[in-house]
Amino acid sequence: TSKRVAKLELELKDMLENAAIQKENAEQLAEEVSKEKEITEKETANAQVEKEQVAKIQEEVLQKQQDTENDLAKALPAVEEALAALDSLDEKALSNCRNMQKPPPKLDEVFAAAMCLLADIMPGHKREKNGKLKDTSWEAAKKLMSNIKEYVLNLKKISTCIQDGTIDERNFKDVRKYLDQEYFN
């Protein structure tokens, strides 16, 4: 019996050592799982923040797209009217306008509006690096009309640029300040 007791004590000792090792392994595993859970929770929180930011950006983009489409829808009738008017433009009358030192009231603004629409369409009429129009003064308008035929062709080209989507949306924003004037309609 004492041999059996000694054997049982040895087996019990081995079992306790194995249990202690398994307990230590389990604690290490629990610690690793806890750390990974913490990392996962942080990543999930970061992903949620990013998801909210993406949703906000998508909303802003959608709003800008809608604003642009609304601006375009408002501008298209004016463009169509302008195109119809272009067909009736008399090059001699434009040449007379170009030769005026000082135009009649508001005529300079009509040409400034045309310059807004012609930005980056008519050769030599580019925006500055900051996106602003360089000059919409009467003197700049006269320079733009130095070749009346080319000027009229580029005015007609605006419609094509609108239809194929190559016109810069800033052109519409720039011309809006003129179109919103009561005398302009």
Side-chain angles (χ1 to χ4, degrees):
T1 29
S2 66
K3 284 184 179 182
R4 275 181 113 191
V5 169
K7 183 179 177 186
L8 284 173
E9 284 179 346
L10 279 176
E11 287 176 1
L12 182 60
K13 184 180 173 186
D14 283 343
M15 287 173 67
L16 287 174
E17 286 176 1
N18 285 337
I21 291 172
Q22 288 179 352
K23 179 183 176 191
E24 189 178 312
N25 289 342
E27 287 173 352
Q28 287 177 350
L29 183 61
E31 189 178 321
E32 287 176 23
V33 168
S34 176
K35 287 179 182 177
E36 287 181 15
K37 181 180 177 189
E38 188 178 319
I39 291 170
T40 301
E41 288 173 350
K42 285 181 182 177
E43 288 177 354
T44 301
N46 289 341
Q48 183 62 33
V49 167
E50 193 168 320
K51 179 181 176 184
E52 291 169 4
Q53 290 173 339
V54 166
K56 183 178 179 182
I57 291 170
Q58 284 177 326
E59 186 178 313
E60 290 172 358
V61 167
L62 181 62
Q63 184 62 47
K64 285 183 181 181
Q65 180 183 4
Q66 289 173 343
D67 290 347
T68 300
E69 288 173 1
N70 288 341
D71 286 346
L72 182 58
K74 289 176 187 176
L76 279 176
V79 170
E80 295 303 324
E81 286 179 35
L83 285 172
L86 281 176
D87 290 334
S88 65
L89 266 182
D90 179 10
E91 289 182 15
K92 185 176 179 183
L94 278 175
S95 182
N96 288 338
C97 287
R98 181 186 62 208
N99 292 330
M100 292 180 188
Q101 290 302 311
K102 183 175 179 178
K106 313 298 184 221
L107 182 64
D108 57 338
E109 292 185 8
V110 171
F111 283 96
M115 291 174 72
C116 292
L117 292 172
L118 285 168
D120 297 322
I121 292 174
M122 187 165 184
H125 186 53
K126 305 281 183 201
R127 293 180 177 279
E128 293 180 9
K129 288 182 182 180
N130 64 8
K132 302 240 184 234
L133 291 175
K134 289 182 181 179
D135 188 3
T136 56
S137 68
W138 178 244
E139 289 304 314
K142 291 187 337 182
K143 286 179 186 175
L144 210 57
M145 291 187 288
S146 62
N147 181 333
I148 298 293
K149 288 182 191 244
E150 180 183 341
Y151 181 75
V152 172
L153 286 174
N154 282 290
L155 286 172
K156 290 180 179 182
K157 186 177 175 185
I158 293 170
S159 175
T160 305
C161 292
I162 291 171
Q163 290 169 357
D164 64 18
T166 58
I167 193 166
D168 191 322
E169 68 181 58
R170 294 176 294 184
N171 293 21
F172 296 115
K173 288 180 182 175
D174 291 340
V175 79
R176 176 67 41 212
K177 69 181 176 187
Y178 298 106
L179 297 179
D180 287 343
Q181 299 298 318
E182 186 177 307
Y183 62 84
F184 212 88
N185 296 315

